[in-house]
């Protein structure tokens, strides 16, 4: 993988109504990688990527896309960057074919939209009007529109929301194909499985700041309980024995089953404890922690805010601007 950053974000700050949505966010994206952005609702993910796309003007900090300022050099940035926004709309009576042909006309060297439509399962919907498409079909159309300009970089914000499991996995394969063809991908997602499978590196944004930046495996290793042990004991174990286990991160009881989070050292100690107390562990399972576990550890103090990143409807305004 090349070492030249194609996206540089340094000390980025953006506030709405005096409330910071993005506070000193910094990261770089290398050419040819899939870079993920994770975070709770309202954490600042969408505001961050909209600054990269040039849809928002930062209050402070520096953003560069292939060396271009996405605000002052917006037209040039659009020639190298394609974007699928979190929410978008098209004219209700526009057909899929008309949308693809229209967007292709915006670029000097667009991709052939026909194989792209086929790859995304849109071929049999070419004469269907936008208003008649299902949510998943609209999502696939917007992915196609983001790619039709043959960009060096594509930003995908919640790209598989609304897709069924099969369509989601097909889309993952498409994203892997896109990267294999040399396109850099900036991916915003809520799906941990998606991020773990696709991303080379991930920035976890919480409360407007980068809480962690690492590979998926590196983030998982940071989890307080990198290994999970679960079993149903033949007799209830003493709480003091369990709490005394080395490297124990957490213990949970549910329906007679014990679930422990810890490390390999914890696993060995559990086995020793079971043997010493003559307790049989039924349905014993030992699994590695997942990106879900790491994410929850990194954002455990985040409040459950279901509003979008842009306060007071700012995200919707930017979306309308981009779709216009």
């Amino acid at each position: 993988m090349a070492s030249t950053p194609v996206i540089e974000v340094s000390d980025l700050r953006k506030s709405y109504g005096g409330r910071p949505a993005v506070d000193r966010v910094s990261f770089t994206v290398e050419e040819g990688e899939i870079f993920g952005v994770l975070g709770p609702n309202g954490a600042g993910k969408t505001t961050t990527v909209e600054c990269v796309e040039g849809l928002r003007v930062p209050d402070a900090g520096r953003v560069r896309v292939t060396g271009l300022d996405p605000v002052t050099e917006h037209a040039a940035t659009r020639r190298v960057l394609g974007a699928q926004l979190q929410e978008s709309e098209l004219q209700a009576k526009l057909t899929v074919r008309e949308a693809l042909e229209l967007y292709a006309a915006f670029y000097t060297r667009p991709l052939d939209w026909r194989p792209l439509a086929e790859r995304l399962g849109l071929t049999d919907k070419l004469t269907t009007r936008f208003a008649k498409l299902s949510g998943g079909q609209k999502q696939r159309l917007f992915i196609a529109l983001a790619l039709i300009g043959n960009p060096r970089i594509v930003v995908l914000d919640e790209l598989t929301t609304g897709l069924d499991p099969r369509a989601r996995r097909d889309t993952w394969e498409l994203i892997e194909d896109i990267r294999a063809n040399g396109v850099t991908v900036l991916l915003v997602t809520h799906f941990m499985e998606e991020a773990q499978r696709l991303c080379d590196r991930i920035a976890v944004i919480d409360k407007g700041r980068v809480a962690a930046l690492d590979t998926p495996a590196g983030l998982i290793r940071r989890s307080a309980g990198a290994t999970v042990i679960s079993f149903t004991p033949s007799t209830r174990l003493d709480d003091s024995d369990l709490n005394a286990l080395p490297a124990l991160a957490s213990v949970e009881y549910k329906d007679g089953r014990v679930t422990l989070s810890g490390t390999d050292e914890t696993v060995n100690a559990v086995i020793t404890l079971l043997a010493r107390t003559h307790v049989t562990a039924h349905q014993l399972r030992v699994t590695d922690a997942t990106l879900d576990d790491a994410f929850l550890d990194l954002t455990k103090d985040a409040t459950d805010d279901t509003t979008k990143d842009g306060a007071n409807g700012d995200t919707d305004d930017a979306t309308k601007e981009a779709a216009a």
Side-chain angles (χ1 to χ4, degrees), residues 12-298:
L12 178 65
R13 282 173 271 187
K14 182 68 178 178
S15 298
Y16 303 107
R19 182 179 68 87
V22 177
D23 187 11
R24 299 180 182 177
V25 165
S26 298
F27 61 85
T28 60
V29 179
E30 305 296 326
E31 186 168 8
E33 79 172 329
I34 301 177
F35 186 92
V37 179
L38 294 178
N41 290 332
K45 307 182 302 297
T46 293
T47 296
T48 298
V49 297
E50 286 177 348
C51 289
V52 172
E53 294 161 341
L55 296 178
R56 295 194 183 277
V57 180
D59 296 335
R62 183 176 186 271
V63 179
R64 293 293 182 269
V65 177
T66 65
L68 300 168
D69 184 323
V71 175
T72 62
E73 299 173 283
H74 190 64
T77 302
R78 288 179 62 183
R79 288 194 286 270
V80 298
L81 184 146
Q84 172 261 332
L85 304 179
Q86 190 178 76
E87 293 184 17
S88 298
E89 289 292 328
L90 294 174
Q91 293 292 331
K93 293 184 179 181
L94 198 68
T95 67
V96 171
R97 179 192 295 274
E98 289 169 341
L100 292 168
E101 290 177 341
L102 175 64
Y103 273 65
F106 294 155
Y107 301 95
T108 55
R109 289 189 297 274
L111 293 176
D112 184 347
W113 59 261
R114 293 166 186 83
L116 188 60
E118 183 176 357
R119 185 72 175 82
L120 285 163
L122 293 169
T123 301
D124 62 347
K125 297 294 179 182
L126 291 177
T127 59
T128 303
R129 298 187 188 280
F130 180 78
K132 298 295 184 181
L133 297 175
S134 69
Q137 290 162 353
K138 289 179 180 179
Q139 193 77 326
R140 293 199 295 273
L141 174 58
F142 285 121
I143 294 170
L145 298 179
L147 297 172
I148 205 164
N150 197 19
R152 288 181 60 187
I153 305 162
V154 64
V155 179
L156 302 171
D157 194 347
E158 306 293 348
L159 84 161
T160 58
T161 299
L163 300 185
D164 60 53
R166 170 54 60 191
R168 182 176 298 132
R169 290 183 179 274
D170 289 345
T171 303
W172 293 351
E173 291 178 6
L174 172 67
I175 301 309
E176 290 169 333
D177 290 346
I178 291 167
R179 193 265 290 277
N181 289 327
V183 178
T184 303
V185 179
L186 179 58
L187 175 68
V188 182
T189 181
H190 276 114
F191 292 106
M192 299 299 143
E193 182 185 2
E194 181 170 282
Q196 190 166 346
R197 168 170 168 166
L198 294 177
C199 296
D200 299 297
R201 292 185 300 139
I202 297 169
V204 179
I205 296 181
D206 187 22
K207 299 184 181 70
R209 296 192 173 192
V210 176
L213 199 166
D214 208 334
T215 64
L219 292 175
I220 291 169
R221 283 194 297 270
R222 297 188 189 194
S223 176
T227 304
V228 179
I229 314 107
S230 62
F231 58 92
T232 301
S234 56
T235 303
R236 183 178 174 89
L237 291 162
D238 189 273
D239 289 348
S240 60
D241 287 337
L242 289 175
N243 291 325
L245 292 170
L248 180 70
S250 66
V251 57
E252 178 183 344
Y253 303 93
K254 186 176 181 181
D255 299 328
R257 193 166 181 79
V258 181
T259 301
L260 307 165
S261 297
T263 66
D264 289 343
E265 185 181 5
T266 314
V267 175
N268 294 330
V270 167
I271 293 171
T272 300
L273 173 63
L274 293 170
R276 176 167 57 82
T277 56
H278 305 289
V279 173
T280 301
H282 298 287
Q283 297 178 315
L284 175 66
R285 295 180 182 175
V286 179
T287 59
D288 290 332
T290 66
L291 194 56
D292 282 280
D293 300 310
F295 178 81
L296 291 172
D297 280 344
L298 289 165

